[in-house]
Amino acid sequence: MVHLAESLTFSGRKVVAAWASLPFPAHRGRSLPEILCSHLPAVPWALLSPCGEQNISGCFAQSVVLRGIPKENPISCPGNPPASPLHTCGSSEEALQGYLDALFPGVLSTSHLLEQPCPTRPPYPQFFSRLLTSQGFLLDRPPRYSSPAVESIPVLAALQSAPVLHQLLSGLSKDLQKLKVRRWPSFFTAGVEEEEFHEALEELRTLAQCYKTGFDESEDEADSD
């Protein structure tokens, strides 16, 4: 974890955002390149961190884990031309890394592929769609009879050092700036000095700027106020 944190939090950045696709939408019997190509040009995950905006693309660095997809699926059919560059990869691990490199060019991306799915047996809530098999794979149409309980699901998860964190950190800084510590004696009884509070607030502003990618004059003026 120490090495992972160091690889994601360079250039003064200290915070990462969490993303997940739970379950990861995949049809049983398809190869990993086929599954990944069906999710272009965007990764089918949702932002878990409270950053507000969801449709933010791009990041500075990321670590991605895909679990629950069998590795033994064929990469390509012999005798047929490859359907995509991902179908030319020699392994499922290479296909996942190639998928990330294509979506996030120039970004430091590390990936891990694990065959073990995420278990969802009781007391895990059964709030899944009827289009899922008991192993969490997608069906083309709902079953005619009652769906079996979902016992496991494939999951795609990621930690990203991304510009979306600028909104979270700058918003937190603005909220804390409104706080008048002199009106709260509990701050001082807890050992917090007013000077230390303002130093921490300035460090938070600086940290937020580390995630900014474009120059927004109006926002900078608001921060200076």
Side-chain angles (χ1 to χ4, degrees), residues 173-193:
S173 174
K174 292 176 183 177
D175 289 340
L176 291 175
Q177 190 175 4
K178 299 175 184 178
L179 184 63
K180 305 300 182 181
V181 292
R182 294 182 179 180
R183 298 180 181 179
W184 302 91
S186 57
F187 272 87
F188 304 106
T189 57
V192 178
E193 298 292 340

Side-chain angles (χ1 to χ4, degrees), residues 170 173-180 198 201-202 205 209 216-225:
S170 61
S173 174
K174 292 176 183 177
D175 289 340
L176 291 175
Q177 190 175 4
K178 299 175 184 178
L179 184 63
K180 305 300 182 181
H198 290 295
L201 186 59
E202 184 60 33
R205 293 196 196 99
Q209 293 302 312
D216 187 341
E217 184 176 354
S218 62
E219 185 174 322
D220 287 344
E221 290 177 355
D223 290 341
S224 63
D225 293 341

Side-chain angles (χ1 to χ4, degrees), residues 88-129:
T88 64
C89 296
S91 65
S92 297
E93 288 86 352
E94 292 181 10
L96 177 58
Q97 187 64 45
Y99 174 73
L100 296 174
D101 292 340
L103 289 181
F104 303 93
V107 171
L108 173 63
S109 298
T110 62
S111 62
H112 302 277
L113 186 63
L114 308 176
E115 291 190 79
Q116 183 68 30
C118 179
T120 56
R121 295 185 178 90
Y124 201 97
Q126 290 294 314
F127 45 45
F128 301 105
S129 166

Side-chain angles (χ1 to χ4, degrees), residues 49-72:
S49 302
C51 299
E53 297 183 40
Q54 290 279 339
N55 299 321
I56 297 294
S57 60
C59 62
F60 307 113
Q62 63 180 348
S63 177
V64 180
V65 176
L66 175 60
R67 57 183 297 183
I69 303 296
K71 296 183 181 181
E72 64 269 19

Side-chain angles (χ1 to χ4, degrees), residues 190-204:
V192 178
E193 298 292 340
E194 184 174 1
E195 183 178 351
E196 294 176 350
F197 173 81
H198 290 295
E199 289 178 358
L201 186 59
E202 184 60 33
E203 291 177 358
L204 182 58

